[in-house]
Amino acid sequence: AQQAGKELRCVSWQIAGTGGQWTTTGCKRVGGDTSHSICACTHFSTFAILMTIHPIKDSFALTVVTYVGMSVSLVCLFLAIITFLLCRSLWSVSVTLHLQLSICLFA
């Protein structure tokens, strides 16, 4: 539903390298009312309707929390992997599964 001060955009997912981004290329909002939107696109892809209330700004605090959190997580996963590999007396199917899960999360 479109409300005052909010803008609706019909978008599709565009793959770019190893990631992707939402793009309005080839899609536009052609109709609708306060509770529905009608979009028309010129291609098949993954689609969404995005609503912006205000421009999205980068947050320094969020960036710091992201990098610190990721660093701590990687260090802890590395320590878990080393522990699983070095403590052979603990080996079991459960430990092997946890080791493989830790390696996948670390990767």
Side-chain angles (χ1 to χ4, degrees), residues 47-101:
F47 301 100
I49 298 175
L50 302 180
M51 181 173 61
T52 60
I53 298 172
H54 50 77
I56 298 172
K57 299 177 184 173
D58 288 334
S59 169
F60 177 73
L62 184 58
T63 303
V64 169
V65 168
T66 299
Y67 283 107
V68 169
M70 181 64 78
S71 300
V72 170
S73 296
L74 288 174
V75 168
C76 291
L77 279 171
F78 180 75
L79 292 174
I81 292 168
I82 295 301
T83 302
F84 289 139
L85 289 174
L86 295 179
C87 295
R88 296 284 179 174
S89 61
L90 299 175
W91 274 85
S92 67
V93 173
S94 177
V95 171
T96 303
L97 292 174
H98 280 87
L99 172 63
Q100 292 172 357
L101 176 64

Side-chain angles (χ1 to χ4, degrees), residues 21-69:
Q21 63 185 9
W22 291 109
T23 179
T24 56
T25 304
C27 289
K28 64 180 178 177
R29 186 171 186 259
V30 294
D33 55 24
T34 59
S35 63
H36 296 83
S37 291
I38 301 171
C39 297
C41 298
T42 59
H43 50 75
F44 292 111
S45 182
T46 302
F47 301 100
I49 298 175
L50 302 180
M51 181 173 61
T52 60
I53 298 172
H54 50 77
I56 298 172
K57 299 177 184 173
D58 288 334
S59 169
F60 177 73
L62 184 58
T63 303
V64 169
V65 168
T66 299
Y67 283 107
V68 169

